[in-house]
Amino acid sequence: MKVEPVAWREGVVAILDQTQLPERVVIEEFDDWRGVAEAICAMKVRGAPAIGIAAAYGLALAARQIQANTIDAFRAVFGEVCAAFAQTRPTAVNLFGAIERLQRVVAQSHTPDEARERLLSEARAIQREDYEADHAMAERGAALLPPNARVMTICNTGALATGGIGTALGVIRVAYEQGKLQRVYACETRPRLQGLKLTAWELLQEGVPFEVIADGAAGTLMAQGKVDAVLAGADRIAANGDTANKIGTYTLAVLAHYHRIPFYIVAPETTIDPATPDGASIPIEYRDSTEITHLGGLQIAPTGAPALNPAFDVTPASLITAIVTEKGVYRTPYRFGLPVAR
Ligand code: MRU
């Protein structure tokens, strides 16, 4: 089954509702941009690159809904829609990169009709480029793994999270196709369980040997010598290489460092944010405490128990063995900063 988290279908944005996986495969079609923005907030579509693609198509959809006769009137409303999409999720920088790209298109357009047409082409280009980047980084990442590799991963970084085969999970898929991969340990990834629900769903379809583990089991498997590499995705990579990713990634990096296991971040260049100097400057999303206190809609904590729910953490660059993108394999010291104006 071809996994496509977001698609443009004759004037509607189709989103594979990831909150219903693995039980049901439901594709929801949106003919109003507000529905797309809500789908991002509710994590029906998630994963940094897929969020960027969904926002891009959402903006292309909004362009068709905007009633404006002049480009100035169009730009004013389009700006408000961009601001609404920028509010959906704060950490994944691909969202903001996509919004900026589409805003540039509108700035360069002369009529609303020209903008509408060019916005859709640009959204399609963002999806296509992500597809191509995934394949390139998968090849580079697979080359870093030893024969018969046993790798640990977190969250879901597969086709569900991107425009292609995924980032860290794309590496896993290609390494498996190359006969280099023995086994995957997929951290369940509390509280939203993207590892248990989504990564397991994808790995089953690919026939890749894996086991889901409780997040707390990662250290003991490393201590037992069962892990050759940790592969994680990224939601934002700061100029100095500090990387925000799903909560629990930092814990894996510390454990990997202690056990002398290579820790790799796999992400497209669109996840690098040269304007953010370091991890401390990355905005971290805090989500509703019910994601902790409830499981599948059922309350599991005692009534009144407070919960704190940071959705992401920051892994310092010093703990990252290499950052793999479609353009290269970067190692410390990472210098992704904006070029200095002379
Ligand atoms: O909250 P999510 O599910 O959107 O978080 C996703 C992750 O943290 C992924 O690891 C990251 O976006 C990289 S996905 C290619």
Side-chain angles (χ1 to χ4, degrees), residues 108-128:
Q108 290 160 5
S109 299
H110 301 95
T111 65
D113 275 345
E114 183 192 346
R116 288 182 189 108
E117 197 175 313
R118 290 183 60 187
L119 283 167
L120 182 56
S121 308
E122 194 73 1
R124 287 194 162 121
I126 289 172
Q127 188 173 32
R128 190 176 55 246

Side-chain angles (χ1 to χ4, degrees), residues 178-242:
Q178 293 175 349
K180 293 184 79 166
L181 189 102
Q182 193 189 123
R183 167 159 307 276
V184 179
Y185 296 112
C187 294
E188 62 173 346
T189 320
R190 272 284 281 154
R192 299 279 304 210
L193 299 172
Q194 292 95 326
L196 175 70
K197 293 182 170 202
L198 307 179
T199 299
W201 186 74
E202 288 200 45
L203 290 174
L204 278 172
Q205 290 190 49
E206 297 300 323
V208 177
F210 73 97
E211 279 155 328
V212 179
I213 58 164
D215 297 325
T220 197
L221 289 175
M222 291 187 195
Q224 289 165 4
K226 290 183 174 165
V227 182
D228 300 306
V230 178
L231 296 172
D235 287 84
R236 191 185 297 227
I237 300 170
N240 72 345
D242 291 351

Side-chain angles (χ1 to χ4, degrees), residues 13-312:
V13 180
I15 289 180
L16 170 55
D17 182 353
Q18 299 188 34
T19 62
Q20 305 218 35
L21 288 173
E23 293 93 348
R24 285 173 294 277
V25 178
V26 176
I27 293 169
E28 219 177 316
E29 291 190 342
F30 297 96
D31 58 8
D32 187 317
W33 66 267
R34 292 170 194 85
V36 179
E38 277 162 27
I40 297 174
C41 287
M43 293 176 68
K44 291 182 179 180
V45 58
R46 32 102 3 238
I51 291 169
I53 295 163
Y57 280 130
L59 288 171
L61 181 61
R64 294 179 169 215
Q65 295 177 255
I66 295 171
Q67 314 262 323
N69 296 325
T70 67
I71 190 67
D72 285 340
F74 181 92
R75 282 184 188 136
V77 183
F78 189 79
E80 288 167 18
V81 178
C82 286
F85 271 101
Q87 294 297 315
T88 53
R89 294 200 67 191
T91 304
V93 77
N94 307 60
L95 169 69
F96 304 95
I99 293 171
E100 276 165 28
R101 263 179 82 161
L102 268 62
Q103 275 176 321
R104 274 198 295 277
V105 164
V106 171
Q108 290 160 5
S109 299
H110 301 95
T111 65
D113 275 345
E114 183 192 346
R116 288 182 189 108
E117 197 175 313
R118 290 183 60 187
L119 283 167
L120 182 56
S121 308
E122 194 73 1
R124 287 194 162 121
I126 289 172
Q127 188 173 32
R128 190 176 55 246
E129 287 164 24
D130 196 58
Y131 174 90
E132 287 160 7
D134 278 3
H135 283 84
M137 72 183 101
E139 294 290 337
R140 288 186 195 279
L144 297 172
L145 298 178
N148 287 317
R150 298 154 306 167
V151 303
M152 186 171 282
T153 190
I154 182 167
C155 197
N156 171 267
T157 60
L160 286 168
T162 71
I165 58 170
T167 58
L169 213 60
V171 171
I172 286 169
R173 183 165 158 171
V174 166
Y176 180 66
E177 284 163 9
Q178 293 175 349
K180 293 184 79 166
L181 189 102
Q182 193 189 123
R183 167 159 307 276
V184 179
Y185 296 112
C187 294
E188 62 173 346
T189 320
R190 272 284 281 154
R192 299 279 304 210
L193 299 172
Q194 292 95 326
L196 175 70
K197 293 182 170 202
L198 307 179
T199 299
W201 186 74
E202 288 200 45
L203 290 174
L204 278 172
Q205 290 190 49
E206 297 300 323
V208 177
F210 73 97
E211 279 155 328
V212 179
I213 58 164
D215 297 325
T220 197
L221 289 175
M222 291 187 195
Q224 289 165 4
K226 290 183 174 165
V227 182
D228 300 306
V230 178
L231 296 172
D235 287 84
R236 191 185 297 227
I237 300 170
N240 72 345
D242 291 351
T243 294
N245 192 50
K246 183 51 56 194
I247 192 76
T249 306
Y250 169 59
T251 315
L252 290 185
V254 172
L255 285 168
H257 182 74
Y258 180 79
H259 293 98
R260 298 179 197 280
I261 295 166
F263 178 92
Y264 299 116
I265 290 291
V266 187
E269 296 269 333
T270 49
T271 304
I272 298 173
D273 180 11
T276 295
D278 53 29
S281 320
I282 299 176
I284 298 294
E285 176 181 13
Y286 279 70
R287 293 186 64 88
D288 201 281
S289 62
T290 53
E291 291 186 350
I292 308 275
T293 56
H294 291 60
L295 204 55
L298 204 72
Q299 184 178 326
I300 52 172
T303 301
L308 189 64
N309 188 14
F312 299 95

